[in-house]
């Protein structure tokens, strides 16, 4: 019988005639698989791991997925050595990642069908092509783990190091795409997500891999202690996370900010021909009707709230250049009331110069509007969506020559705002606002600009996320988006106010509790008070990814020490 790497050959091995348990039998079959069967197992295991992500939140699915990953890497090292086993592990990692991302991001295909006549041909690129590219990060993670692999529990630390480093890179390379990072397996539960206030999303990722992969030793340990100890340690760690979270979340609701009454509008306007400039009058009328709708005796309309919030890209036209529509909105706002709305805007040109296709620059923005249509502070989106809001530089000319464009039909695509000093939005009557448009909310540590402008507050009072998830219909996508934005509130100790065109609109307190929400795919009005921010700063807000980096280095040192011993 071939000895798997989880055991030292000749030490603690059972006689060949001894009966092995069902878990050992499964592990041995996976370890000794090869060729296409091995890759198929990896794809299936990765797809299983996606069930641990919101909205499903099945953490045991990640346990199954990562235990199989450990056994697959064990098997890649059987009968081989050197660079060939590293490449074999990279192939396993790519297959595992392809299954994970295909199962977790299939809903992206819905966006290609909104304008099917233009984009349906590219559906396979979004549903299969993107997972194939993202899987390269897990290929690198598995290969890195193999370089410091060993027998016994040390290889769990090796896998945690490799996969977590890969996830960090995925969140930063080529503008980053940290969607469904493995740490969201812990970040979707109210109690276990509280650790994000200490170590952030990537720290949760390190913990999730360590905990979920530990039971792999139950089937491959050389002694009873070696089999059981890692799983017991994982259970203690998971219980500790839950206990910390339960102790951190108070039984009483968070206090609210005095004098602030919010009204969020969820118009549920489809992303089709109905959202076009030809329907501008109907769209503006719908926003104004919802905004002034009576919900209760003390909430009869705009007059009974302080701040009105509309979602991302609320208008199919440039509101700044439409005096009639702006006049209607300004007339509906009593003195002292503020509208915060998403809108496309065009940069003003000097000396009254007329815009042309060559000199026009467009931004995806948040505008503040007061009574009479007076504009206040503006935030321009910094982190744009590749292919959705712009075409990446090297591909821009080529794709446009082929007659292709980004999803958002703006000539030349959107331009990114200036990140330095621009993240904070100043709105009369509100604490300083950390503004985030659409998927900017999935990036941990991006609440404040790297170099705040002179006079900018060091700490905002809330996170404002305006988005339009109507592109993705009733799929897991909008629910995953909310879960990731919600984790930002816990990391930073700030309340989150999230307004979405089709949902899910919500107000979340600084502990991650949803205090008010509107369901996905419904038209509605949400009135809510603003929860207060937590006093002081969380450890993550103060030190960022520093604690996570120390944990990652510790896993690497543990893996290297275990490899040296064996």
């Amino acid at each position: 019988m071939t000895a798997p790497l989880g055991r030292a050959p000749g030490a603690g091995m059972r006689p060949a005639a001894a009966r092995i348990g069902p878990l050992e039998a499964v592990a041995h079959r996976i370890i000794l698989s090869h060729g296409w069967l091995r890759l198929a197992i990896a794809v299936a295991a990765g797809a299983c791991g996606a069930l641990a992500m919101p909205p499903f939140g099945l953490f045991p699915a990640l346990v199954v997925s990562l235990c199989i990953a450990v056994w697959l890497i064990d098997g890649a090292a059987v009968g081989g050595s050197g660079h060939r086993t590293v490449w074999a592990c990279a192939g396993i990692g790519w297959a595992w990642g392809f299954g994970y991302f295909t199962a977790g991001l299939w809903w992206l295909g819905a966006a290609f069908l909104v304008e099917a006549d233009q984009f349906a041909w590219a559906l396979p690129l979004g549903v299969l092509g993107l997972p194939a590219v993202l899987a390269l990060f897990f290929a690198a993670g598995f290969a890195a783990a193999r370089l410091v692999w060993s027998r016994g529990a040390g290889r769990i630390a090796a896998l945690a190091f490799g996969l977590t480093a890969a996830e960090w890179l995925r969140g930063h390379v080529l503008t980053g795409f940290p969607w469904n990072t493995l740490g969201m397996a812990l970040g979707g539960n109210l109690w276990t997500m509280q650790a994000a206030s200490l170590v952030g999303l990537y720290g949760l990722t390190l913990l999730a891999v360590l905990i979920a992969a530990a039971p792999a030793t139950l089937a491959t340990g050389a002694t009873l202690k070696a089999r059981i100890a890692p799983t017991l340690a994982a259970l203690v760690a998971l219980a500790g996370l839950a206990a910390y979270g339960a102790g951190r979340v108070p039984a009483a609701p968070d206090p609210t900010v005095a004098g602030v009454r919010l009204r969020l509008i969820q118009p549920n306007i489809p992303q089709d021909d109905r959202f076009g400039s030809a329907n501008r009058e109907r769209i503006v009328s719908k926003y104004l009707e919802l905004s002034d709708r009576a919900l209760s005796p003390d909430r009869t309309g705009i007059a009974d709230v302080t701040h009105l919030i509309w979602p991302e890209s609320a208008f199919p036209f440039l509101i700044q250049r439409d005096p009639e529509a702006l006049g209607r909105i300004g007339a509906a706002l009593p003195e002292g009331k503020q509208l915060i709305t998403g809108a496309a805007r065009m940069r003003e040109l000097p000396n009254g110069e007329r815009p042309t296709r060559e000199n026009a620059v467009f931004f995806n923005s948040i505008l503040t509007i007061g009574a009479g249509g007076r504009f206040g502070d503006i935030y321009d989106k910094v982190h744009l969506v590749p292919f959705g809001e712009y075409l990446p530089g090297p591909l821009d000319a080529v794709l446009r020559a082929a007659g292709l464009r980004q999803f958002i039909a703006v000539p030349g695509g959107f331009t990114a705002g200036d990140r330095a000093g621009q993240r904070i939005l100043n709105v009369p009557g509100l604490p300083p606002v950390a503004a985030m448009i659409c998927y900017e909310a999935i990036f941990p540590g991006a609440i404040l600009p790297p170099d705040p402008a002179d006079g900018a507050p060091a700490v905002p009072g809330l996170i404002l996320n305006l988005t339009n998830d109507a592109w993705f219909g009733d799929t897991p996508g909008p629910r995953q988006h909310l879960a990731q934005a919600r984790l930002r509130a816990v990391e930073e100790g700030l309340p989150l106010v999230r307004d979405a065109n089709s949902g899910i609109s919500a107000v979340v307190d600084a502990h991650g509790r949803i205090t008010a929400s509107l369901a996905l795919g419904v038209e509605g009005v949400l009135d809510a008070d603003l929860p207060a921010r937590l006093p002081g700063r969380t450890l993550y807000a103060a030190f960022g990814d520093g604690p996570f980096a120390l944990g990652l280095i510790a896993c690497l040192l543990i893996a290297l020490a275990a490899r040296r011993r064996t």
Side-chain angles (χ1 to χ4, degrees):
M1 183 171 71
T2 304
L5 276 192
R7 298 181 176 184
M13 292 290 293
R14 295 184 180 186
R19 179 179 298 177
I20 62 174
L23 184 61
E24 281 185 303
V26 171
H28 286 191
R29 286 182 178 275
I30 293 172
I31 289 170
L32 298 178
S33 64
H34 58 88
W36 288 106
L37 176 59
R38 174 192 286 170
L39 295 179
I41 292 172
V43 170
C48 177
L51 293 174
M53 299 296 108
F56 309 107
L58 301 177
F59 190 79
L62 189 65
V63 174
V64 173
S65 182
L66 290 181
C67 286
I68 292 174
V70 171
W71 299 332
L72 287 169
I73 298 176
D74 282 345
V78 171
S81 61
H83 68 277
R84 284 194 294 181
T85 63
V86 174
W87 280 108
C89 286
I92 293 169
W94 182 89
W96 192 93
F98 182 73
Y100 177 80
F101 290 117
T102 301
L105 299 177
W106 62 266
W107 48 266
L108 286 169
F112 293 85
L113 300 178
V114 172
E115 297 179 278
D117 57 327
Q118 298 187 53
F119 296 109
W121 65 270
L123 180 64
L125 296 179
V127 176
L128 299 176
L130 180 63
V133 173
L134 295 177
L136 294 173
F137 289 99
F138 282 140
F142 274 57
R146 176 65 188 92
L147 289 172
V148 292
W149 205 249
S150 64
R151 299 182 176 93
R155 69 201 204 279
I156 307 304
L159 184 66
F161 165 75
L163 287 186
T164 307
E167 288 288 65
W168 186 90
L169 289 172
R170 179 163 71 90
H172 292 80
V173 173
L174 298 177
T175 79
F177 187 66
W179 197 287
N180 275 4
T181 302
L182 292 172
M184 285 304 301
L186 295 173
N189 177 274
L190 180 62
W191 286 0
T192 56
M193 72 167 60
Q194 300 304 315
S197 65
L198 304 175
V199 296
L201 173 62
Y202 297 113
L204 286 186
T205 299
L206 190 68
L207 291 169
V209 178
L210 286 169
I211 292 170
T217 62
L218 291 172
T220 55
T223 65
L224 182 62
K225 180 180 177 180
R227 288 167 177 264
I228 296 176
T231 300
L232 290 177
L235 290 173
V236 170
L238 188 59
L241 287 176
Y244 171 76
R248 185 174 188 269
V249 178
D254 284 0
T256 59
V257 178
V260 175
R261 292 172 301 200
L262 306 175
R263 168 161 285 197
L264 283 65
I265 304 303
Q266 183 171 295
N268 196 35
I269 301 174
Q271 292 304 112
D272 54 19
D273 293 340
R274 284 167 285 183
F275 187 72
S277 57
N279 295 318
R280 55 188 292 280
E281 294 293 334
R282 182 183 61 82
I283 290 171
V284 172
S285 296
K286 182 171 187 175
Y287 274 109
L288 293 177
E289 185 276 322
L290 288 171
S291 299
D292 207 34
R293 180 179 293 179
L295 297 185
S296 66
D298 62 337
R299 293 290 176 98
T300 61
I302 297 176
D304 294 320
V305 300
T306 59
H307 296 83
L308 188 63
I309 303 175
W310 295 354
E312 176 192 14
S313 302
F315 315 104
F317 55 90
L318 299 174
I319 186 65
Q320 289 177 301
R321 292 180 171 270
D322 194 318
E324 182 181 347
L326 183 59
R328 292 182 62 192
I329 293 170
L333 292 171
E335 197 65 41
K337 310 298 181 180
Q338 288 287 318
L339 167 65
I340 307 171
T341 181
R345 78 174 188 94
M346 187 169 65
R347 184 180 63 187
E348 296 298 327
L349 298 174
N351 303 321
E353 185 179 350
R354 295 188 62 182
T356 65
R357 292 185 66 89
E358 288 71 29
N359 65 13
V361 176
F362 297 92
F363 300 96
N364 187 357
S365 305
I366 296 177
L367 311 178
T368 58
I369 303 175
R374 297 188 299 269
F375 285 103
D377 207 3
I378 295 174
Y379 167 70
D380 297 323
K381 186 176 182 182
V382 173
H383 212 132
L384 300 177
V385 182
F387 300 101
E389 295 173 311
Y390 76 103
L391 297 178
L395 300 176
D396 191 357
V398 175
L399 294 178
R400 292 193 188 282
L404 304 179
R405 63 169 177 83
Q406 69 281 349
F407 279 107
I408 307 299
V410 173
F414 285 114
T415 297
D418 178 16
R419 186 182 181 199
Q422 201 202 15
R423 182 73 72 185
I424 299 300
L425 191 68
N426 295 300
V427 183
L430 285 181
V433 177
M436 313 190 88
I437 298 177
C438 190
Y439 100 139
E440 286 185 312
I442 73 172
F443 292 90
I447 298 299
L448 289 174
D451 301 305
D454 292 341
V459 181
L462 74 147
I463 303 168
L464 174 67
N465 179 215
L466 303 189
T467 189
N468 181 8
D469 291 345
W471 294 94
F472 308 111
D474 188 2
T475 67
R479 297 173 174 90
Q480 292 172 2
H481 199 182
L482 171 63
Q484 292 168 105
R486 179 187 177 196
L487 192 63
R488 303 290 85 79
V490 178
E491 287 173 341
E492 302 288 343
L494 298 173
L496 167 71
V497 177
R498 185 176 194 267
D499 192 28
N501 172 24
S502 60
I504 303 168
S505 299
V507 175
V508 180
D509 71 16
H511 291 98
R513 294 176 293 187
I514 297 176
T515 61
S517 66
L518 289 172
L520 179 64
V522 301
E523 174 188 303
V525 179
L526 181 64
D527 285 349
D529 295 330
L530 174 65
R533 65 178 305 274
L534 297 185
R537 303 185 69 185
T538 65
L539 184 69
Y540 180 77
F543 297 101
D545 284 332
F548 148 72
L550 293 176
L552 190 67
I553 293 170
C555 280
L556 175 60
L557 294 177
I558 291 170
L560 289 171
R563 182 175 177 83
R564 184 175 182 179
R565 285 197 305 269
T566 59

